[in-house]
Amino acid sequence: MHQAFRYRGKANYRDALFLTYEAHAATVLNGFLDDLATVLEAFVNMAGAFSAIRIGASDWQAFINDLDDHLNLLVKPSDVWP
């Protein structure tokens, strides 16, 4: 949670200002976007692990199966939360 909160603040406040200082922001943005993807992946994994423990293995698996059956996403929840 702390990591995700820090990057939210970074995106909202600090980096938005400093990106305007660069002549070519694409290089700065690439690293920042990669970092955001890493933080998002860690947050999603943590949230899944917490939820699985909180609701129990059988209910968690039923939830994942329901998401896989009914959501039309490029990445299936079962690919993220095995």
Side-chain angles (χ1 to χ4, degrees):
M1 291 294 280
H2 179 69
Q3 185 181 29
F5 182 78
R6 286 187 63 218
Y7 267 88
R8 186 224 32 106
K10 183 176 165 92
N12 285 348
Y13 307 113
R14 194 191 84 182
D15 280 352
L17 174 66
F18 290 122
L19 285 175
T20 63
Y21 291 176
E22 297 287 330
H24 300 284
T27 304
V28 177
L29 277 177
N30 286 340
F32 182 62
L33 293 176
D34 292 340
D35 290 346
L36 283 177
T38 300
V39 170
L40 175 61
E41 183 179 355
F43 180 78
V44 168
N45 285 330
M46 182 272 311
F50 174 81
S51 298
I53 291 169
R54 184 83 172 149
I55 67 173
S58 62
D59 287 337
W60 177 251
Q61 193 57 52
F63 174 67
I64 294 297
N65 292 341
D66 184 64
L67 291 178
D68 281 344
D69 291 343
H70 296 100
L71 289 179
N72 189 15
L73 300 174
L74 294 176
V75 177
K76 293 288 191 180
S78 59
D79 295 337
V80 177
W81 297 314

